[in-house]
Amino acid sequence: MFGFFKNELLEVIEWKESSKDVLVWKFPDKDSDIKYGAQLTVRESQAAIFLNEGQIADVYGPGRHVLKTENMPVLTKLKSWKHGFNSPFKADVYFVSTRQLTNFKWGTPNPIFVNDPEAGRVEVRAFGTYFMRVADPKKFYREYAGTSSILTVDELEDVFRGLVVPKFAEALSESGATAFDIYSQYSELGETIRPLIQQDLNDFGLELTKFQITSVSLPPEITDHMKQLAKLNLTSNENLNKMQAFNQMDVDKIAAEKGNYENMKGSRNDLMMQQMMMQQMMQNQNNNQNQNNNQNNNSNNNAGEKEEKMSREEIMKTLKELGELKEMGILTDAEFNDKKKELLAKL
């Protein structure tokens, strides 16, 4: 009786988070007993775990709970309260944050190797971010948090960074991604790798909600090779056909959304103009090349001078068309300058 009246009975149990850095927090009971019928408040993005003599009993999600026999089925069974109880009881209460934990950093301190069909075995360094949350509070407490009275987000990040990085290398290999895929398809590749890493996090009750690659570093010679390929693809017939198809899809989509025939007609006219300019530019380049070949094979000086004069006119015309393509946003400044330099060298 003396011990009972000495301890203050707990009537309200809740966790008002004062910092986003805390992931698990033990309710400070100060050796006090919990009053029968006490109020347990669990807020959104929280879960409350009750322990009886170190054993997990009941787990509560968001809401207001009255602690009675019918609301505590596991603890009632553990304490053998067959006919109910109306006296204080002892239990350890842990609160777990279930909100999404954002902006965890990951990176490959050492390069990983990717087999590329064109470049062979390529060294790759990658960096990015990932988001997680506690999906199963009971499993997370049992498999990771343990009996710590407080667990911070930083502790979780330090541990799982060591899991994510090597798993990224394995998942990258399993996905079959090439060096070009890593370099050009950040978002798509991140979504491909995420479920592969998730397999290891399931054992800890964690969910990997987002896995993102933010930067990739490739050897300089590989980067230069990809830039050259991009330049070649810019003026290829295949690339032109793809551009036409994608632009046509955009025009049709805009027209369908707006239901406006005049807008669709105007967009198609703009598209046709762009396509005609690209085709004309390619035709001029081919003509210039043929004329240069004719000049080298022609022994007649007068004819050669005439051909040279025609070649200059075509080059100037092509430069003008390139400038118009740059103004329309089809060519970047870098691509325009490269082509300009190449054409001026032929004058």
Side-chain angles (χ1 to χ4, degrees), residues 217-310:
S217 176
L218 299 175
E221 60 273 14
I222 300 299
T223 304
D224 292 341
H225 175 68
M226 290 181 175
K227 290 181 179 179
Q228 293 299 325
L229 288 178
K231 290 180 180 179
L232 292 175
N233 289 336
L234 176 65
T235 56
S236 68
N237 289 329
E238 181 181 358
N239 188 69
L240 179 61
N241 292 335
K242 288 181 180 179
M243 185 188 72
Q244 293 173 348
F246 281 122
N247 287 347
Q248 184 61 54
M249 290 170 62
D250 290 339
V251 171
D252 292 341
K253 181 179 179 181
I254 294 172
E257 291 176 350
K258 294 185 177 182
N260 191 324
Y261 176 76
E262 290 301 324
N263 287 342
M264 179 178 68
K265 183 178 179 181
S267 299
R268 284 182 172 172
N269 289 338
D270 292 341
L271 173 63
M272 291 175 63
M273 181 64 69
Q274 295 175 16
Q275 293 172 352
M276 290 173 62
M277 293 184 68
M278 284 290 289
Q279 291 171 343
Q280 183 63 42
M281 183 189 73
M282 293 174 61
Q283 182 178 356
N284 290 340
Q285 290 178 340
N286 292 334
N287 291 339
N288 293 340
Q289 185 64 40
N290 292 334
Q291 291 171 2
N292 289 335
N293 292 337
N294 291 335
Q295 289 176 8
N296 294 333
N297 296 328
N298 196 333
S299 60
N300 189 317
N301 292 335
N302 293 332
E305 291 177 359
K306 183 178 179 180
E307 289 295 326
E308 182 181 1
K309 183 178 180 181
M310 292 177 60

Side-chain angles (χ1 to χ4, degrees), residues 163-164 167-177 189-202 208 211:
L163 170 66
V164 169
K167 192 64 180 178
F168 167 74
E170 296 176 16
L172 187 63
S173 176
E174 186 175 342
S175 69
L189 187 57
E191 284 302 308
T192 301
I193 292 176
R194 184 177 62 83
L196 302 178
I197 299 178
Q198 177 63 53
Q199 296 173 7
D200 281 5
L201 298 182
N202 288 334
L208 185 64
F211 183 83

Side-chain angles (χ1 to χ4, degrees), residues 1-19:
M1 290 292 293
F2 177 77
F4 170 75
F5 288 109
K6 180 180 178 181
N7 292 339
E8 180 182 356
L9 297 181
L10 297 174
E11 297 185 5
V12 177
I13 301 173
E14 63 180 351
W15 178 28
K16 297 180 180 179
E17 300 180 50
S18 59
S19 172

